[in-house]
Amino acid sequence: MGKKLASKVLLIGWDAADWKVINPLMDAGEMPALESIVNNGVMGNLATLEPPFSPMLWSSIATGKRPDKHGILGFTEPDPSGGGVRPVSGTSRKVKAIWNVLTQKGYKTNVVGWWPSHPAEPINGVCVSNFYQRANKGIEKGWKMLPGTVHPQKYAETLADLRVHPDELTEAHILPFIPKAAQVDQDQDKRIGMISKIIADAASIQSAATWTMENTEWDFMAVYFDAIDHFGHGFMKFHPPQLPGLPDDLFDKYKDVIVGGYKYHDMMLERLLKMAGEDTTVILISDHGFHSDHLRPLSLPKEPAAPALEHRHYGIFAMKGPHVRKDERIYGATLLDITPTLLTMFGLPYGEDMDGKPLIQAFDKEVEVSRIPSWEKVEGNAGTHPKGIKEDPYAAKAAMDQLIELGYIEDPGENVQKAVDKTIQESQYNLARVYIGSNRYEEAIPILEKLIEKEPEEIRFLQRLAVCFQNTSKIEKCKQLLVGIRDILDKNYEERKQKALEELEKNKDLKKEEKEKIRTDINSRVKKQYPNLFLMEGSILLSENKPKDALELFKKAEEASPALPNLYLQIGRCYLQTKKFVDAERAFKKTLSLDGDSAHAHHGLAVAYLRQKRYEESIDSALTAIGLIYHFPFAHYHLGEALVAIGEYKSAAEAFEVCLTMAPNISKARNWLIKIYEEHLGASDKAKEVANRPIAVKKEEELETQGDEEVELSERASEHREKLQEKSQGEIIIVSGLPRSGTSMMMQMLDKGGVAIFTDKVREADDSNPKGYYEHEAVKKLVRDKKWLKDANGKAVKVIAQLLMQLPPRFNYKIIFMERDINEVIISQQKMLEREGKAKSKDYPIGLEMAFNNTLDKVKIWINRNYNAEILYVPYASVIANPKAEISNINKFLGAQLDEQKMLDAVDTKLYRNKLRKA
């Protein structure tokens, strides 16, 4: 066991709590309890998971694992007894939660209200399930607590008496939330009843938590409140500023509910903090946020769990206690990090099968972090349920009713089998979304394809399958799918239009001329535009390196829906591809004006600044992106590039190393690290020699004389060289140079010398190249299509200098680069264009010399940065004047396996037709 960072920990969950609402309230002094945590500890965003469904997320928080591992895949599940469907149960969780691990290690642990936690688990402490507070009948009908709600049973009666029923509330409880409650017609408007239920549920959880804290010994306590989420779904639409189309009277009555809800939670928090004491580490979190501004959806689609579209990607994280930093912000936290952090605080290892990491940046001392393969393999009593435990069907029915009321699920009705099938379908769809959210697109594809077999016109299934195809380079399949989606949308539009016409004909109250006017209006409507489809079609074109075509589609999407999420993000990427970096900057800033927490927009802005050589601004934007989403390898990569540019080599190396821990295949990061370690951080030649030896033969005195840090840097460089070789998919010989610099002749020489040539012979010999071009059409598409390179493995291929920088780092390259006087190159190109009738004999392309020199400079920079590429510069004039010497050099460069005499026979001095005469 490592050193403990905390003797007691209180973990509080506020479902859907959001800094966007909290910060103004703290600034106004209206949430003093939470402000005391922030001022005396750390705060930050907590990134959520996909899909943002609460029972899945809170199970991930409690286990440190994604839903595909812990097994909770939605709000409901088939009832094992064959009785249809039931709310998701704690018995369906397949792995240990934090309280099970702590029970196993002898810690006293209390859990109150966690979702899902029914039936209560037999942990070493008190467990109060998420059915504890539910009241679905009037108090006059009795309110028995359901079996299995409390463990141990001896506390059940006491805790049952502490619950608060909605019917027990008075106007004094309601007025802080609805000051004008007296104006509400409760026969027509049931919202006061909804608020009463939310307030009472939270009060019940608070009662159970405070009693348990006061009357039991505990080392760890977890308390979960769902009230803020319920306030949000019911009343966020009334939160200022007033949404368009919202009636003034409703806004006036309910505009204070959200603020009231947060202040209510702060009051409860104050009591919890006082009872916990100063020696307790307190962590306050939410599983996701809740849109409270212009991003609030004005309407929700008719699909399961649609209310989750109101959720924001970032929840809250705040922590204070012994050894916690004070008044600081931490970045990059995700809800998967909570359990690894808790285990580390108790001096315990976290599982290698967990998907999160300890938040060691939150502490003011060095943290000892250890790992074990999995806590699932550790035997002993963990306070888990025995297999085969059954859930009370009446409890399940009560919880189902609330989920239906909140809009998370549809009423299953009388058709039991249909409800079961629907539940299985949704859980599989959620699993596919889990895979998509963790970039495991290949695993999502078969699940979505199976769902589409049963529901071939379900747009949400089709759209996510298209995303998977796009991200796995199955572009043609993606395009076909989008055509199908468009057809379905068109058909649905026509059906709605026909239905409108039929309804019109049935209307007997309208006069003939009124009907005719409406009919004309219906028939003249332009087919609805599909902005999301334009966005996806444009993103495919972007991936094919067709930014101009993509931009046209993005502009169409903008016309149809200017506030479409990610629209300006894609427009910015178009401008990056076309090197219009100022326009890209403008587009990314537009994205951030709509959603300031878009990590991808901050990253795009970092790249736009980087390319404009505004390095400090690039660093700031990259750090902001990383703060929002820590697991963002390219943000770390571009941060590294910007740090190199300002000479911060050590920090740059750290950024590139982090990038590679997340994405080991980003070979250009390895190239940068080799350069940094060998050229900028002072590794001497002797240190490099020591680093490259097998460890067994490194002499102790050499290590001492070189200095540990210097040898370590060299070892790191060596390690990255080895990784580049390990990941290399082969070696390709590249013949390059400016067009008309002798590349075709060099290809002929290699062909004669015994090198396999990658050519399709589509371009035939002509007067400009009477012995052939030795080209391949695929090379022209190198910018957007690199798949063909595997077919060139072990062969020689001609690639013009302007395309060299597009070669991916997954191959090793031996580059023979033809050098020729630039004026000769320009004249030769001009003569060739004249022969083809594409230029006049008196034309001379002014400005080409500068452009060509720039290209040659870029090639040298690229070669210097790519340690998977070796280059041999071959002067064209020398090949003509002294072919034997140049051929010998070429043969040595390529491994001395070529037939030099046959190569010599391929040199034709008569083709040196545009030689400049020296004065």
Side-chain angles (χ1 to χ4, degrees):
M1 287 178 59
K3 290 183 180 178
K4 290 174 65 174
L5 295 168
S7 57
K8 294 178 75 174
V9 178
L10 170 61
L11 175 66
I12 304 168
W14 286 358
D15 199 309
D18 197 306
W19 290 122
K20 282 191 174 183
V21 179
I22 292 169
N23 284 332
L25 293 174
M26 285 201 301
D27 291 343
E30 295 186 337
M31 292 189 74
L34 178 49
E35 189 172 12
S36 72
I37 297 179
V38 171
N39 290 342
N40 294 285
V42 296
M43 67 170 289
N45 286 327
L46 195 66
T48 190
L49 300 176
E50 172 70 11
F53 297 163
S54 290
M56 299 169 69
L57 301 178
W58 289 104
S59 296
S60 287
I61 289 169
T63 62
K65 298 179 180 180
R66 295 183 185 276
D68 58 301
K69 291 180 182 176
H70 65 59
I72 303 298
L73 292 172
F75 294 95
T76 59
E77 60 191 12
D79 189 334
S81 67
V85 296
R86 69 179 188 187
V88 67
S89 164
T91 59
S92 297
R93 198 185 67 241
K94 299 186 294 187
V95 299
K96 295 172 184 173
I98 178 64
W99 45 83
N100 301 122
V101 175
L102 293 177
T103 289
Q104 203 159 11
K105 300 305 292 185
Y107 288 100
K108 295 184 181 298
T109 304
N110 294 338
V111 180
V112 177
W114 210 264
W115 190 13
S117 60
H118 190 87
E121 290 182 88
I123 57 176
N124 183 25
V126 178
C127 184
V128 180
S129 88
N130 59 300
F131 284 4
Y132 167 74
Q133 70 273 28
R134 306 300 182 208
N136 292 80
K137 294 182 290 185
I139 196 169
E140 73 282 354
K141 296 181 180 179
W143 191 19
K144 288 186 178 181
M145 194 164 68
L146 298 164
T149 299
V150 173
H151 167 85
Q153 181 62 30
K154 65 181 181 179
Y155 295 132
E157 186 176 344
T158 299
L159 288 169
D161 290 341
L162 293 174
R163 295 173 300 165
V164 178
H165 194 283
D167 292 352
E168 296 178 286
L169 301 186
T170 67
E171 65 177 26
H173 299 105
I174 303 300
L175 287 174
F177 300 87
I178 315 174
K180 297 182 178 180
Q183 299 177 13
V184 177
D185 181 354
Q186 295 190 56
D187 291 330
Q188 301 296 321
D189 186 342
K190 304 299 181 183
R191 292 185 181 91
I192 286 182
M194 185 190 304
I195 286 178
S196 299
K197 193 171 187 316
I198 297 170
I199 296 170
D201 283 358
S204 295
I205 292 294
Q206 177 79 353
S207 295
T210 52
W211 185 90
T212 307
M213 290 174 74
E214 193 169 32
N215 292 279
T216 67
E217 292 183 15
W218 55 276
D219 302 300
F220 171 76
M221 178 136 188
V223 187
Y224 166 75
F225 296 87
D226 61 11
I228 289 176
D229 184 67
H230 294 181
F231 279 130
H233 289 302
F235 298 93
M236 188 61 82
K237 63 177 72 72
F238 305 111
H239 185 62
Q242 186 173 354
L243 288 172
L246 187 69
D248 292 342
D249 62 324
L250 288 178
F251 174 74
D252 197 41
K253 287 173 187 170
Y254 298 114
K255 61 183 172 63
D256 301 303
V257 172
I258 296 298
V259 168
Y262 274 89
K263 290 166 69 173
Y264 175 40
H265 279 71
D266 195 72
M267 292 166 62
M268 292 188 287
L269 177 62
E270 182 181 23
R271 177 64 176 151
L272 294 175
L273 292 177
K274 186 174 182 180
M275 296 186 71
E278 289 299 319
D279 63 334
T280 298
T281 299
V282 180
I283 305 174
L284 176 65
I285 58 173
S286 66
D287 56 335
H288 54 74
F290 207 103
H291 289 300
S292 59
D293 48 22
H294 60 284
L295 295 174
R296 287 176 286 180
L298 297 177
S299 61
L300 296 173
K302 292 181 179 179
E303 63 180 52
L309 294 172
E310 296 177 295
H311 296 166
R312 205 167 72 87
H313 189 72
Y314 299 103
I316 69 167
F317 175 85
M319 177 167 71
K320 81 171 186 73
H323 307 302
V324 177
R325 294 181 185 275
K326 295 194 185 321
D327 197 20
E328 289 194 21
R329 189 177 183 95
I330 65 168
Y331 297 93
T334 79
L335 50 79
L336 292 167
D337 301 330
I338 301 303
T339 284
T341 301
L342 290 168
L343 289 169
T344 300
M345 290 169 68
F346 279 101
L348 298 172
Y350 72 99
E352 292 174 2
D353 57 344
M354 291 179 179
D355 298 308
K357 64 189 183 308
L359 297 171
I360 58 175
Q361 67 270 37
F363 300 98
D364 63 6
K365 60 180 289 186
E366 189 172 337
V367 179
E368 290 184 20
V369 176
S370 59
R371 298 195 298 173
I372 60 171
S374 176
W375 279 101
E376 306 310 312
K377 297 177 181 178
V378 178
E379 296 183 359
N381 179 24
T384 54
H385 286 300
K387 291 182 179 179
I389 189 169
K390 293 184 179 179
E391 185 183 348
D392 187 292
Y394 298 102
K397 177 66 171 66
M400 280 285 289
D401 290 343
Q402 180 156 20
L403 290 173
I404 294 166
E405 184 181 322
L406 288 168
Y408 278 118
I409 63 171
E410 297 175 356
D411 188 335
E414 300 298 322
N415 191 329
V416 172
Q417 188 55 50
K418 184 179 178 182
V420 170
D421 291 344
K422 186 73 172 174
T423 293
I424 293 172
Q425 173 182 282
E426 290 307 310
S427 68
Q428 286 298 293
Y429 177 53
N430 291 343
L431 179 59
R433 291 181 66 179
V434 169
Y435 288 141
I436 291 170
S438 52
N439 299 323
R440 291 178 285 170
Y441 301 101
E442 290 285 4
E443 294 175 72
I445 288 173
I447 297 173
L448 291 166
E449 287 179 332
K450 193 170 181 180
L451 290 171
I452 289 166
E453 282 179 16
K454 295 181 179 179
E455 299 280 352
E457 295 191 356
E458 184 65 54
I459 294 295
R460 60 198 174 113
F461 297 167
L462 293 164
Q463 286 178 330
R464 281 198 159 83
L465 182 58
V467 168
C468 291
F469 283 153
Q470 183 182 1
N471 282 279
T472 52
S473 299
K474 298 176 175 68
I475 299 301
E476 289 308 313
K477 282 189 173 183
C478 184
K479 288 179 180 178
Q480 291 170 13
L481 204 57
L482 292 179
V483 170
I485 291 173
R486 184 176 291 280
D487 289 342
I488 293 168
L489 291 172
D490 284 343
K491 186 183 80 170
N492 292 345
Y493 173 81
E494 292 299 333
E495 286 176 355
R496 288 195 302 272
K497 183 175 171 180
Q498 188 59 39
K499 187 175 180 181
L501 289 169
E502 289 172 2
E503 291 296 324
L504 178 65
E505 294 306 318
K506 291 177 185 176
N507 193 322
K508 305 297 183 184
D509 298 329
L510 292 172
K511 296 179 181 179
K512 184 177 179 180
E513 55 272 20
E514 291 175 323
K515 273 192 177 184
E516 190 58 40
K517 184 179 178 182
I518 296 172
R519 188 182 296 110
T520 301
D521 179 55
I522 292 172
N523 284 318
S524 64
R525 284 178 195 165
V526 179
K527 234 179 219 183
K528 184 180 177 183
Q529 299 297 302
Y530 310 124
N532 283 306
L533 205 56
F534 288 144
L535 196 60
M536 180 159 278
E537 289 170 339
S539 67
I540 290 172
L541 290 170
L542 200 55
S543 69
E544 294 180 310
N545 200 42
K546 298 177 180 176
K548 292 180 181 177
D549 295 337
L551 193 56
E552 288 182 16
L553 284 172
F554 294 149
K555 293 295 185 184
K556 286 185 180 179
E558 185 179 21
E559 289 174 15
S561 180
L564 188 67
N566 296 326
L567 170 61
Y568 295 99
L569 185 67
Q570 295 288 47
I571 290 173
R573 287 169 177 166
C574 276
Y575 288 132
L576 284 182
Q577 277 198 16
T578 53
K579 303 189 187 307
K580 295 180 179 178
F581 302 122
V582 174
D583 290 333
E585 176 190 343
R586 193 178 300 115
F588 292 128
K589 284 181 175 177
K590 176 71 173 177
T591 304
L592 293 171
S593 73
L594 296 171
D595 181 7
D597 288 332
S598 170
H600 292 282
H602 284 291
H603 172 240
L605 197 55
V607 177
Y609 286 145
L610 181 63
R611 301 305 175 229
Q612 295 176 68
K613 300 184 179 181
R614 293 158 62 183
Y615 302 121
E616 298 288 351
E617 291 165 284
S618 177
I619 290 166
D620 288 343
S621 292
L623 286 171
T624 303
I626 291 164
L628 291 165
I629 301 178
Y630 185 76
H631 198 282
F632 196 162
F634 275 106
H636 291 280
Y637 174 81
H638 287 113
L639 172 62
E641 277 200 353
L643 288 166
V644 166
I646 64 169
E648 293 287 343
Y649 299 115
K650 191 171 182 180
S651 296
E654 290 173 1
F656 289 130
E657 292 283 9
V658 172
C659 167
L660 288 169
T661 62
M662 297 175 178
N665 291 326
I666 301 180
S667 298
K668 53 188 178 179
R670 293 195 192 282
N671 279 316
W672 270 117
L673 284 168
I674 295 168
K675 185 177 182 68
I676 290 169
Y677 291 144
E678 292 188 347
E679 298 180 21
H680 297 295
L681 293 183
S684 67
D685 290 339
K686 186 68 174 176
K688 294 173 191 175
E689 179 197 338
V690 173
N692 285 322
R693 293 180 187 178
I695 291 174
V697 302
K698 289 179 182 175
K699 295 179 183 178
E700 188 175 335
E701 61 267 27
E702 288 178 315
L703 290 173
E704 288 176 358
T705 57
Q706 292 307 314
D708 293 342
E709 185 177 354
E710 197 174 321
V711 172
E712 184 185 347
L713 292 174
S714 292
E715 285 176 340
R716 286 185 188 174
S718 235
E719 180 186 333
H720 286 297
R721 283 185 188 279
E722 289 171 11
K723 289 285 185 185
L724 282 174
Q725 291 304 314
E726 285 174 16
K727 295 187 176 297
S728 173
Q729 297 178 12
E731 184 175 272
I732 301 173
I733 298 170
I734 303 291
V735 174
S736 189
L738 296 171
R740 307 301 295 167
S741 62
T743 51
S744 297
M745 182 185 72
M746 182 54 64
M747 290 292 287
Q748 294 160 27
M749 291 165 64
L750 294 178
D751 185 20
K752 297 297 183 184
V755 176
I757 304 298
F758 183 71
T759 178
D760 56 10
K761 299 181 180 178
V762 169
R763 192 174 185 185
E764 297 176 351
D766 56 23
D767 290 342
S768 298
N769 250 333
K771 293 191 177 182
Y773 285 88
Y774 286 79
E775 294 176 353
H776 198 296
E777 289 295 300
V779 178
K780 297 177 183 177
K781 303 173 184 176
L782 181 59
V783 174
R784 65 174 181 268
D785 182 9
K786 297 172 173 58
K787 296 191 204 72
W788 59 268
L789 282 162
K790 67 181 184 299
D791 300 322
N793 187 22
K795 300 176 183 178
V797 58
K798 187 163 79 170
V799 179
I800 63 170
Q802 288 86 342
L803 290 177
L804 267 187
M805 285 73 78
Q806 299 298 327
L807 289 171
R810 62 177 179 268
F811 290 92
N812 289 328
Y813 303 104
K814 290 271 193 176
I815 302 171
I816 299 172
F817 196 91
M818 300 302 295
E819 293 185 306
R820 187 176 182 182
D821 185 284
I822 285 188
N823 287 307
E824 287 185 4
V825 167
I826 293 171
I827 291 169
S828 181
Q829 289 182 6
Q830 188 66 12
K831 297 273 187 177
M832 179 178 173
L833 292 173
E834 288 172 20
R835 281 191 287 270
E836 295 175 358
K838 296 179 180 177
K840 297 177 181 178
S841 59
K842 292 183 180 180
D843 289 345
Y844 186 86
I846 305 294
L848 271 185
E849 183 176 350
M850 183 181 291
F852 285 164
N853 277 319
N854 285 339
T855 297
L856 296 177
D857 289 342
K858 288 178 182 177
V859 168
K860 288 174 182 174
I861 293 169
W862 179 80
I863 287 291
N864 193 37
R865 288 180 180 173
N866 287 271
Y867 290 85
N868 58 319
E870 294 179 67
I871 193 164
L872 176 67
Y873 290 100
V874 179
Y876 177 70
S878 294
V879 176
I880 299 298
N882 191 9
K884 282 190 177 181
E886 293 298 338
I887 287 170
S888 176
N889 290 337
I890 293 165
N891 195 15
K892 288 175 185 174
F893 180 66
L894 297 180
Q897 301 291 318
L898 305 183
D899 188 326
E900 292 189 15
Q901 183 55 49
K902 289 184 177 179
M903 291 177 71
L904 185 61
D905 294 340
V907 178
D908 188 348
T909 59
K910 295 192 297 293
L911 292 178
Y912 194 1
R913 296 177 289 198
N914 297 295
K915 182 177 180 180
L916 288 178
R917 306 296 175 191
K918 291 186 179 180

